[in-house]
Amino acid sequence: QTSFYGRFRHFLDIIDPRTLFVTEVRRVTGGVGAEGGSAVPCALTVSLGDTLQAIIHPDTNETIFMPFRMSGYIPFGTPIVVGLLLPNQTLASTVFWQWLNQSHNACVNYANRNASKPSPTSKFIQGYLGAVISAVSIAVGLNVLIQRANKFSPATRLLIQRFVPFPAVASANICNVVLMRHTELEEGIDVLDSSGNIVGSSRVAAKHALLETALTRVVLPMPILVLPPIIMSVLEKTSLLRSRPRMILPVQSLVCLAAFGLALPLAISLFPQMSEV
């Protein structure tokens, strides 16, 4: 976990979609790895450690609801990404897909939240509403500006519109982090010594953590919402897709799935889960 490559390999296991089929983790006595008959969590898939980290919340020790696990982020999130990148969006469709994306993100964020300290539900609602409002406002505002730009040709306008979801989603993600966790900047977060013992709270560590989280939330949608429009603008000019326009949506879905599968482990591997300050 001290190197980017090590974290990348670790998170490839965490996002393994096979862990979605594990619905229950039972405690058994004298199981694999048990010492002296102590109870250990056990599951029969992939590997024990990877499966537990993929489906069990580290703070609450509760099973995370399947669609909101990190291993479910790609299969359940890809259809939303495809919707965000559909060409010729209307005002209603832009609002709908931005709202659906932020709703999905909010559920994933809540299911995988830091639960070491209790946080009121109002903070979650505040962050959710802030993310939705900022995403919809930026997306709609940029689309209106592009439509009124008379200097662009229709083809150029369509190409630029395809990149609108990225600044909208990235800004909303930052807004969500700030609104949901701004109290940490005032109260600080727990800091541990090398043995894992809590030695106090630190506002410096909180600022460090929020900055890394915000950067991750900007990097994550970048390949997902920037690469597919570039790739699709090239593929749509090929004779295959020109002669078979019905294949555009399936091809775009595959491109989005590949971009999502690459971006997620790369983004969450940028920083170690336990940082040193």
Side-chain angles (χ1 to χ4, degrees), residues 72-86 89 96-97 100-101 104 224-225 249 252-254 256-257 260:
Y73 200 30
I74 294 174
F76 288 96
T78 297
I80 300 175
V81 173
V82 174
L84 284 170
L85 296 175
L86 288 174
Q89 296 261 13
F96 171 76
W97 287 112
L100 187 61
N101 180 56
H104 179 246
I224 301 172
L225 299 176
L249 186 58
Q252 180 170 327
S253 301
L254 289 174
C256 290
L257 180 63
F260 212 151

Side-chain angles (χ1 to χ4, degrees), residues 19-28 39-45 47-57 61-64 69:
T19 61
L20 293 174
F21 297 100
V22 180
T23 57
E24 181 183 1
V25 177
R26 289 174 293 178
R27 292 186 177 274
V28 296
V40 295
C42 186
L44 299 175
T45 183
S47 72
L48 180 62
D50 294 335
T51 302
L52 290 176
Q53 291 190 49
I55 72 173
I56 299 294
H57 194 288
N61 289 321
E62 295 178 353
T63 303
I64 301 172
R69 299 173 189 171

